Amino acid sequence: MYQLETFILDIPTIRPHKMSVATMQKQTLVLVKITSAEGIVGWGEATTIGGLSYGEESPESIKTNLDMYFAPSLTSISGEMNIAQITQMLNKNIIGNRFAKCAVQTALFDIWGKKLGLPVSELLGGRMRDSLPVLWVLASGDTDKDIAEAKQMIDSGRHNIFKLKIGSKAVEEDVAHAVAIKKALGRDVSIRVDVNRAWSKMQCIKGIQALQDGGIDLIEQPCAIFDTELLKYLTDRFDVAIMADEAVMAPQNAYTLAKNRCADVFAVKIEQAGGLVEACDIGKIATFAGIDLYGGTMLEGAVGTIASAHVFSTFESLAYGTELFAPLLLTEEILKTPLAYENFELKVPKGAGLGIEPDEEKISALTRHS
Ligand code: MUC
Ligand code: MG
């Protein structure tokens, strides 16, 4: 038997974060706390971006579904069901809801890890590395501000790879912005762009050609989620790497994308995948298909970020690094000891379970009560 509690936290960001799908002034975290019959506590996270403008689940719908449907299922579990069996039961009884499922599975892995005295990475097959490269996303909406922010990140040893959020302005303006940043930061600094599905076919052809000529290294989700034919066409047509992000959901559709070679790179997100095991499955599918990997984020706080880090640490190759920077975008700390970002990398904890200690007083103080 497991007891499930949910919390919605609204935390302001350190600056507005402008994307083609939304401008964020705050991030809304959805945290899940599960307590096992023997009293072991595990944490998970089901955070999304911009309400319903990014994913199919909103913070409020996630909380409602967890409270109304997942909680009774977990309470009713008797005997010694393992994580695979619980996942199968939830998948049988609950359609979709990948973000909520990921939060529940994360909390169960945290509990199991604590019970067995092992980090989650080891329960997932074993880590290949103890720390992960982490890029920073420049999204102030202003070219000069972004250049200053990037230089400060490089000087302070925090990040030396940058992703730009584009797609909300005219293609020419977005390209000029990206190329100006690339020029200012120089040859050795990798610049990538995320269009967040904003471009039509003609805009993709024009924009990607100019970005490729301007030295940009990676083009993320340039077109609509379900236009996988266009994604494939762009992958075949251009030398610059094309990455599928929103289009990579559960392992089943990652498999279809891989089979049809619709991308050079997959952004893996634990919540989009529907769980840590499913994210590892996507990693394997990509590896077998010769598709490179990138560790993505739903801009989760510390809990989802470190769960993702455990998953990405198990990938044999992580050619494009990760974007596990979101806790640094938030103005409030929710862990007793903050995550360790050092030398352009995030350390993957070695303690049992997720290896973090959420500050319950802080979480309670930040919890939305209406
Ligand atoms: C996305 O589409 O990649 C990740 C970083 C960021 O700034 O936004 C998210 C979503
Ligand atoms: Mg993206």
Side-chain angles (χ1 to χ4, degrees):
M1 179 183 135
Y2 297 90
Q3 208 195 336
L4 180 145
E5 296 162 73
T6 49
F7 310 87
I8 294 189
L9 284 64
D10 294 304
I11 304 186
T13 52
I14 56 171
R15 57 146 169 76
H17 197 65
K18 295 192 177 165
M19 299 168 279
S20 71
V21 288
T23 297
M24 290 166 54
Q25 308 275 357
K26 62 167 179 140
Q27 177 57 311
T28 301
L29 310 183
V30 182
L31 296 181
V32 171
K33 177 183 172 187
I34 297 183
T35 309
S36 71
E38 66 267 57
I40 302 176
V41 170
W43 288 86
E45 183 170 347
T47 291
T48 188
I49 295 172
L52 275 174
S53 58
Y54 195 96
E56 294 154 351
E57 297 161 66
S58 73
E60 297 75 17
S61 77
I62 291 168
K63 180 172 166 36
T64 300
N65 290 346
L66 283 165
D67 292 343
M68 298 291 296
Y69 298 95
F70 287 77
S73 282
L74 291 167
T75 314
S76 72
I77 292 172
S78 59
E80 270 300 300
M81 273 176 96
N82 64 25
I83 297 177
Q85 291 160 341
I86 297 172
T87 301
Q88 187 190 41
M89 178 198 78
L90 292 175
N91 283 337
K92 198 164 156 225
N93 296 340
I94 299 173
I95 300 298
N97 287 272
R98 298 189 311 278
F99 294 12
K101 281 177 180 166
C102 177
V104 168
Q105 201 192 73
T106 301
L108 293 173
F109 267 107
D110 195 19
I111 290 173
W112 246 265
K114 285 170 181 165
K115 207 155 44 173
L116 299 169
L118 287 172
V120 168
S121 58
E122 303 315 289
L123 302 184
L124 293 170
R127 64 179 66 187
M128 306 297 292
R129 54 190 79 76
D130 288 325
S131 64
L132 306 167
V134 178
L135 61 63
W136 181 253
V137 174
L138 299 168
S140 73
D142 178 278
T143 309
D144 292 335
K145 267 194 201 160
D146 282 357
I147 292 171
E149 198 173 292
K151 285 188 171 160
Q152 194 234 321
M153 292 295 176
I154 296 169
D155 291 346
S156 62
R158 270 260 306 269
H159 309 276
N160 55 5
I161 304 172
F162 300 95
K163 159 165 143 175
L164 318 179
K165 301 300 269 188
I166 63 170
S168 55
K169 298 183 177 159
V171 175
E172 295 79 358
E173 224 180 308
D174 273 340
V175 168
H177 169 73
V179 173
I181 291 176
K182 174 69 193 168
K183 261 205 185 123
L185 298 179
R187 218 188 42 192
D188 296 339
V189 177
S190 175
I191 304 292
R192 297 100 183 260
V193 297
D194 189 355
V195 192
N196 280 123
R197 59 192 190 257
W199 286 347
S200 67
K201 181 173 182 180
M202 293 318 290
Q203 287 174 318
C204 281
I205 291 170
K206 188 169 159 193
I208 295 172
Q209 185 65 57
L211 290 165
Q212 178 175 294
D213 294 345
I216 303 305
D217 287 326
L218 182 68
I219 315 291
E220 180 172 341
Q221 195 66 49
C223 60
I225 296 178
F226 295 105
D227 202 347
T228 51
E229 254 178 59
L230 176 54
L231 210 49
K232 177 175 173 46
Y233 171 79
L234 299 170
T235 303
D236 290 342
R237 175 169 174 147
F238 291 104
D239 290 336
V240 63
I242 306 290
M243 180 157 81
D245 178 15
E246 286 94 319
V248 181
M249 292 180 248
Q252 292 82 350
N253 81 294
Y255 172 72
T256 309
L257 290 176
K259 193 168 72 171
N260 297 322
R261 261 218 89 80
C262 292
D264 299 297
V265 188
F266 278 177
V268 182
K269 293 182 172 170
I270 59 169
E271 291 192 58
Q272 286 275 48
L276 311 189
V277 172
E278 290 76 3
C280 290
D281 289 344
I282 293 175
K284 281 277 179 307
I285 290 167
T287 304
F288 293 148
I291 290 171
D292 282 330
L293 288 170
Y294 173 73
T297 179
M298 287 302 286
L299 297 176
E300 293 108 331
V303 176
T305 295
I306 217 62
S308 304
H310 280 280
V311 168
F312 304 153
S313 77
T314 70
F315 289 172
E316 239 167 86
S317 164
L318 195 54
Y320 285 85
T322 80
E323 57 181 13
L324 294 177
F325 71 98
L328 301 169
L329 191 64
L330 305 181
T331 52
E332 298 283 347
E333 179 56 58
I334 60 156
L335 299 183
K336 288 197 176 155
T337 307
L339 301 183
Y341 289 92
E342 273 169 38
N343 270 331
F344 309 108
E345 301 217 328
L346 167 64
K347 295 228 174 311
V348 188
K350 290 187 171 156
L354 293 174
I356 53 168
E357 207 184 339
D359 182 337
E360 296 209 38
E361 269 176 35
K362 199 76 194 284
I363 289 171
S364 154
L366 291 166
T367 294
R368 193 194 281 179
H369 286 294
S370 55

